Amino acid sequence: MNNESKREEPRDIITFGINRTAILYNKELLSDPIKYDFQYQSDHLLFQRRRKY
């Protein structure tokens, strides 16, 4: 029994972290959906590449 509880704790911590990340990502996505648009991402990447040189 003790061995099983030792395994459950890290698993619960990891699961909580993954769930929290997903919640925050979805919250950002819903708050500003244009930033997650493919065309916006592509334009931003091209801008960053031009700015680099």
Side-chain angles (χ1 to χ4, degrees), residues 1 7 10-11 20 23 25 28-29 32 36 40 42 50-51:
M1 263 328 221
R7 285 190 214 154
R11 185 175 25 202
R20 183 72 179 140
I23 289 168
Y25 175 79
E28 277 292 315
L29 177 63
D32 197 4
Y36 294 90
Y40 176 88
S42 176
R50 280 181 294 201
R51 190 173 148 205

Side-chain angles (χ1 to χ4, degrees), residues 35-51:
K35 280 189 173 180
Y36 294 90
D37 182 50
F38 178 76
Q39 188 62 46
Y40 176 88
Q41 292 290 337
S42 176
D43 289 344
H44 185 68
L45 176 64
L46 291 173
F47 170 75
Q48 292 296 339
R49 288 178 73 192
R50 280 181 294 201
R51 190 173 148 205

Side-chain angles (χ1 to χ4, degrees), residues 1-28:
M1 263 328 221
N2 194 12
N3 227 2
E4 185 62 32
S5 65
K6 285 182 182 179
R7 285 190 214 154
E8 285 181 12
E9 187 178 338
R11 185 175 25 202
D12 291 343
I13 292 170
I14 292 169
T15 303
F16 175 78
I18 292 170
N19 288 341
R20 183 72 179 140
T21 302
I23 289 168
L24 293 174
Y25 175 79
N26 287 328
K27 192 175 186 182
E28 277 292 315

